[in-house]
């Protein structure tokens, strides 16, 4: 038979007597409550800073439902804000609030950064995915993927774990050196296909349409030849202004390059984004000390990137298109 729940008054008096220094035995005798119950009340108060009944896991408490409504109304609300709004609910401890929310399968996680998508972007992405999904397996091996990226000298290109003893977090050997504004950076342009990497070149200064045309002229066709793609090349590029510039389009037309029409705001479909991450992680582990070293490390590590990694990335293209269709044009996990 389930025992009767103690009143809040008895629980509060137990805590009050404990604070004044009384033993569990004395509190038990004075309030006519089993000593084990007194101990349980005190343990709960020490852990949760409350003597009130906590939300149960097997039934939908009004408290939990109210918290869930607040969280679903504002997914970026903080625990501190929930604490302030929960005073009247007599829940002051953040762990108590977290436990109540967790019962509805809601957990605090770091929000992913994704491109801002308008309705026009989503419609274009969805139409592109549907149009290319059927022939994606045959077409993907003909595509030369391209893009440029920024690589900082002392930037946090990747997380780095170290084995260290407690209390040594700030020892120089356990730190990654940084300087203000990243210490400078370089902007490489590169390309790759299912069989491996094409050329990687450093962009000097701000990229203009004329500079982009020159990069294509000096690197695109040779990369296609090196990768045995010249006769069946499909060139992928982002939809930014330099790609759409008249001189860029004219060069591609003059050289009979078949360009893959690309939906804007779609880095999740561009396989080279993951290739850049691999490159940055490899360069990061070498800790270059100046921009010349950074450029040299980038070129050396670019050549070392595994060819089977290229093939695996290309093999994921169909799944990426399917993910866009499933998401109805919105952002995907890629």
């Amino acid at each position: 038979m389930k025992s009767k729940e103690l009143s809040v008054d008895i629980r509060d008096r137990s805590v009050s007597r404990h604070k004044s220094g009384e033993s569990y035995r004395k509190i038990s005798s004075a309030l006519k409550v089993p000593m084990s119950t007194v101990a349980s009340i005190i343990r709960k108060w020490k852990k949760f800073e409350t003597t009130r009944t906590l939300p149960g896991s097997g039934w939908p408490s009004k408290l939990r439902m109210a918290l869930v409504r607040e969280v679903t109304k504002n997914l970026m609300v903080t625990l501190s804000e929930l604490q302030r709004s929960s005073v009247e609910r007599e829940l002051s401890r953040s762990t108590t609030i977290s436990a109540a929310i967790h019962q509805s399968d809601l957990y605090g996680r770091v929000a992913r950064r994704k491109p801002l998508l308008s309705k026009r972007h989503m419609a274009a992405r969805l139409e592109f995915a549907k149009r290319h999904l059927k022939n994606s397996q045959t077409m993907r091996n003909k595509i030369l993927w391209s893009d440029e990226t920024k690589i900082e000298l002392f930037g946090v290109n990747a997380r780095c774990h170290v084995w260290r003893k407690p209390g040594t977090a700030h020892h120089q050997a356990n730190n990654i050196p940084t300087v203000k504004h990243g210490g400078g950076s370089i902007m490489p342009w590169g390309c790759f296909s299912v069989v491996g990497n094409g050329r990687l070149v450093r962009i000097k200064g701000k990229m203009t349409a004329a500079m982009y045309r020159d990069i294509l002229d000096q690197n695109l066709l040779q990369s296609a030849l090196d990768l045995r793609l010249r006769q069946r090349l499909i060139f992928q590029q982002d939809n930014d202004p330099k790609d759409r510039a008249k001189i860029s389009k004219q060069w591609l037309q003059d050289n009979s390059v078949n360009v893959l029409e690309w939906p804007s705001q779609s880095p999740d479909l561009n396989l080279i984004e993951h290739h850049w991450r691999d490159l940055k992680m490899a360069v990061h582990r070498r800790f270059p000390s100046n921009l010349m070293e950074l450029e040299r490390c980038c070129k050396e590590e670019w050549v070392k990137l595994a060819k089977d990694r290229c093939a695996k990335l290309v093999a994921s293209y169909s799944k990426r298109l399917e993910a866009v269709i499933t998401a109805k044009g919105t952002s995907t996990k890629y």
Side-chain angles (χ1 to χ4, degrees), residues 145-206:
W145 306 89
S146 75
D147 199 7
E148 60 275 347
T149 191
K150 180 180 179 182
I151 302 181
E152 293 183 345
L153 179 60
F154 292 114
V156 183
N157 290 324
R159 290 183 180 181
C160 182
H161 294 84
V162 296
W163 294 102
R164 62 174 177 80
K165 294 181 178 180
T168 64
H170 300 289
H171 289 190
Q172 187 172 358
N174 299 329
N175 296 160
I176 297 174
T178 64
V179 297
K180 285 186 177 180
H181 313 299
S185 63
I186 66 171
M187 181 79 75
W189 174 93
C191 59
F192 86 101
S193 76
V194 66
V195 299
N197 291 330
R199 291 189 171 186
L200 182 82
V201 292
R202 179 181 176 182
I203 301 166
K204 300 291 181 69
K206 185 178 180 180

Side-chain angles (χ1 to χ4, degrees), residues 179-286:
V179 297
K180 285 186 177 180
H181 313 299
S185 63
I186 66 171
M187 181 79 75
W189 174 93
C191 59
F192 86 101
S193 76
V194 66
V195 299
N197 291 330
R199 291 189 171 186
L200 182 82
V201 292
R202 179 181 176 182
I203 301 166
K204 300 291 181 69
K206 185 178 180 180
M207 174 80 97
T208 63
M211 289 175 64
Y212 183 61
R213 188 266 320 273
D214 291 342
I215 286 175
L216 296 180
D217 189 48
Q218 297 166 21
N219 300 279
L220 176 58
L221 297 182
Q222 187 58 52
S223 293
L225 285 171
D226 294 341
L227 299 170
R228 302 187 297 278
L229 284 175
R230 186 66 190 98
Q231 299 303 319
R232 54 197 180 99
L233 168 66
I234 300 174
F235 181 53
Q236 182 277 332
Q237 59 179 356
D238 282 344
N239 229 345
D240 59 27
K242 70 179 185 310
D243 302 337
R244 303 192 306 269
K246 185 179 293 186
I247 57 173
S248 302
K249 287 183 175 180
Q250 189 63 51
W251 185 92
L252 291 165
Q253 185 177 336
D254 291 344
N255 288 273
S256 302
V257 176
N258 184 15
V259 179
L260 179 64
E261 293 185 15
W262 195 252
S264 299
Q265 299 288 74
S266 299
D268 53 345
L269 288 175
N270 193 350
L271 309 181
I272 203 170
E273 297 294 340
H274 288 262
H275 223 37
W276 288 137
R277 185 182 64 185
D278 294 344
L279 177 65
K280 291 176 181 180
M281 290 176 67
V283 170
H284 177 79
R285 287 192 288 266
R286 294 181 58 173

Side-chain angles (χ1 to χ4, degrees), residues 136-150:
S136 61
Q137 293 191 357
T138 55
M139 186 177 71
R140 67 191 184 191
N141 293 339
K142 304 175 185 178
I143 299 176
L144 185 66
W145 306 89
S146 75
D147 199 7
E148 60 275 347
T149 191
K150 180 180 179 182

Side-chain angles (χ1 to χ4, degrees), residues 300-315:
E300 290 174 357
E301 295 300 328
W302 179 255
V303 175
K304 293 178 186 177
L305 291 176
K307 291 183 179 180
D308 63 341
R309 174 61 170 160
C310 297
K312 287 180 180 178
L313 284 173
V314 173

